[in-house]
Amino acid sequence: DTGLDIALQEVCGFLNAQLAGIHHQIIVGDIAPLFFGMVVVVMSPQAVCLIDVLTVGLILFLWNIGIQLCDPGLTDDHGCCDEDRDQMIERMLEADVSKAIIICCSKHDLDIGKKLKEKHPSFKLACSIHPQDLEDHDPKRLIEIRERIIESGADMVGEIGLDYYSHPHTREYQKDFFKAQLEMAREFDLPIDVHCRKADGDMLEILKASKNRGIIHSFSGSVEMMRLYLKLGYYISFGASVLFKGAKRPLQVVEAMPIDRLLIETDAP
């Protein structure tokens, strides 16, 4: 991809320059304990550089650890990376990527995630009921996810949130399940990973009424909306959408953000 190639060339350039006399900044460290020390910001006046996880070896929040443990939009997807998962993790470790968040949106994924965490203690687990997965909206599922959070020793609750773009017909159930999982996160003092598409109004109303902390995943909103989320204490993360052709709004948002609240993710694969 030309956009990614250009971004990576720029990244290599300022890394080689060791940040001397240029406007770029990289922040890697514990700016917030809830993010387990995985914070990476790459910014220039001209462009936002999205770093490929295996090229530069820096991860923040990945939808699926750089490994597709869960794609909530698909139903028969679980085995997609079974054949090369070990090799992928090996490449990550060789690139000094020692930490990752494994987001598990099903029992199958959680079973895999727990095994990975046992093998790689620096990996962290997140689990939830995803807003795209509410065709079955039986309240008993909330009891089950609470038990999974406890049993797995989850480090995070997510992805949770609202998706009125792909699943407008379940919006009322989405709000109910979102609020319930926010309460679970508060109960266990865990950060949240928030998924929001075409639902910022309801999202802000719900988050304002809660006392949670975490990340707004794969942000696609406006500058004004970004500032409202920042006021609530959230971090804003961007994925590959910043490299889409004609993607002006994400770049405008990044340029307007305080750099210590700006995160990137691969949202891989």
Side-chain angles (χ1 to χ4, degrees):
D1 182 271
T2 302
L4 182 59
D5 289 341
I6 293 173
L8 291 173
Q9 289 173 12
E10 184 175 344
V11 170
C12 291
F14 77 74
L15 285 175
N16 291 334
Q18 298 180 353
L19 305 181
I22 55 178
H23 184 60
H24 301 275
Q25 296 185 57
I26 297 180
I27 300 173
V28 181
D30 296 321
I31 66 170
L34 66 92
F35 292 139
F36 311 108
M38 294 174 290
V39 178
V40 183
V41 176
V42 181
M43 185 175 179
S44 77
Q46 295 80 23
V48 177
C49 302
L50 182 63
I51 305 180
D52 180 87
V53 61
L54 298 179
T55 304
V56 182
L58 296 173
I59 287 184
L60 179 64
F61 280 86
L62 311 179
W63 183 355
N64 301 309
I65 189 189
I67 301 169
Q68 187 73 3
L69 292 183
C70 170
D71 186 343
L74 300 175
T75 56
D76 297 317
D77 186 37
H78 297 308
C80 74
C81 289
D82 287 345
E83 293 183 0
D84 65 350
R85 182 177 289 112
D86 290 341
Q87 293 92 328
M88 187 179 295
I89 292 177
E90 183 178 348
R91 292 197 301 270
M92 289 167 57
L93 297 175
E94 289 175 353
D96 292 328
V97 180
S98 60
K99 300 178 181 180
I101 301 294
I102 313 169
I103 295 186
C104 307
C105 297
S106 73
K107 184 180 183 301
H108 175 277
D109 298 339
L110 190 57
D111 289 341
I112 295 177
K114 287 191 295 184
K115 292 178 182 178
L116 287 174
K117 185 176 179 179
E118 290 174 0
K119 187 175 181 179
H120 306 281
S122 62
F123 287 7
K124 305 296 181 179
L125 282 178
C127 62
S128 69
I129 300 171
H130 196 281
Q132 293 176 337
D133 183 28
L134 284 172
E135 300 298 336
D136 176 5
H137 43 263
D138 189 331
K140 291 181 180 179
R141 295 186 67 195
L142 291 169
I143 298 175
E144 293 172 357
I145 197 65
R146 186 179 185 279
E147 292 173 349
R148 289 178 191 170
I149 291 172
I150 296 172
E151 184 271 334
S152 67
D155 305 283
M156 187 179 205
V157 177
E159 293 175 28
I160 57 175
L162 305 172
D163 194 322
Y164 296 169
Y165 176 78
S166 64
H167 289 68
H169 55 292
T170 62
R171 65 166 58 198
E172 294 305 317
Y173 298 116
Q174 290 181 43
K175 288 189 282 187
D176 291 342
F177 275 65
F178 182 36
K179 292 175 183 178
Q181 291 179 96
L182 286 172
E183 185 176 347
M184 291 179 201
R186 293 194 300 271
E187 176 185 356
F188 299 114
D189 192 25
L190 296 176
I192 59 173
D193 186 9
V194 177
H195 174 103
C196 181
R197 295 183 74 193
K198 302 296 184 181
D200 283 307
D202 285 345
M203 177 64 68
L204 279 168
E205 180 180 347
I206 293 172
L207 291 181
K208 283 179 181 178
S210 72
K211 300 291 183 180
N212 294 87
R213 70 192 197 278
I215 176 177
I216 308 298
H217 147 81
S218 195
F219 186 73
S220 60
S222 65
V223 171
E224 293 75 16
M225 198 62 62
M226 170 270 291
R227 288 172 176 156
L228 291 172
Y229 284 125
L230 292 183
K231 285 183 179 180
L232 294 177
Y234 286 87
Y235 288 75
I236 307 293
S237 181
F238 294 85
S241 62
V242 297
L243 295 179
F244 291 169
K245 185 177 181 180
K248 296 180 180 179
R249 189 161 71 169
L251 300 183
Q252 293 170 350
V253 174
V254 170
E255 289 176 356
M257 282 194 63
I259 198 166
D260 62 343
R261 304 289 288 281
L262 172 65
L263 311 174
I264 63 171
E265 59 183 293
T266 64
D267 201 3

